[in-house]
Amino acid sequence: MSSEEVRRVTEALDAVEAIQDPEERSREQSRLMALMRTRSSEWMKERSELAHRIKQEEGEKATIRGLAKRLGVSPSTLQDILSGYRGSGQRRPKVNKQPTDATEQRQPPEQP
């Protein structure tokens, strides 16, 4: 998608927000939100398939940061996409890691 297309979509959304009649504005906003729910789901699926395909084709060459930049998302969002996680970042399950020797060395000694 080019910057021109994004600009045109943004202008169209601004035009809906500028509708003077509150009831008409609400109807048009509802129509757009319903369309976006459908498209958002389709776009997320498409983005996920692309991320997985690139990661499989490029293997270790496709770093999380590099691939995230290519897809226009944050590295944490890309990690969620690749792991299949679709919830809120605030509700993301904690990773259960076993401490390594290096981690144990960095922790301060326990106080009696």
Side-chain angles (χ1 to χ4, degrees):
M1 182 183 284
S2 71
S3 295
E4 175 61 21
E5 290 164 322
V6 172
R7 186 191 62 75
R8 289 194 332 241
V9 169
T10 302
E11 286 178 357
L13 293 172
D14 290 344
V16 169
E17 290 176 349
I19 295 172
Q20 293 298 310
D21 178 22
E23 291 181 17
E24 181 183 358
R25 183 174 56 246
S26 179
R27 283 191 302 274
E28 295 305 311
Q29 288 170 336
S30 295
R31 287 179 56 209
L32 284 170
M33 288 186 289
L35 287 170
M36 287 311 300
R37 273 191 295 276
T38 301
R39 288 191 184 211
S40 179
S41 178
E42 293 168 358
W43 290 356
M44 285 177 13
K45 181 181 177 193
E46 182 181 334
R47 183 178 63 185
S48 176
E49 289 170 355
L50 176 62
H52 281 93
R53 189 180 79 234
I54 292 171
K55 191 71 175 152
Q56 183 178 21
E57 290 173 357
E58 296 183 10
E60 293 298 318
K61 290 195 285 186
T63 65
I64 293 295
R65 284 185 185 209
L67 184 52
K69 185 174 182 179
R70 289 168 60 183
L71 297 180
V73 298
S74 71
S76 62
T77 297
L78 179 61
Q79 288 174 323
D80 287 346
I81 291 169
L82 293 173
S83 71
Y85 182 73
R86 292 185 50 164
S88 165
Q90 294 177 346
R91 296 190 184 123
R92 184 179 291 115
K94 301 287 185 205
V95 177
N96 212 359
K97 292 184 179 178
Q98 295 295 327
T100 64
D101 290 339
T103 305
E104 291 172 350
Q105 291 174 359
R106 286 182 285 202
Q107 294 177 352
E110 290 186 28
Q111 298 291 326

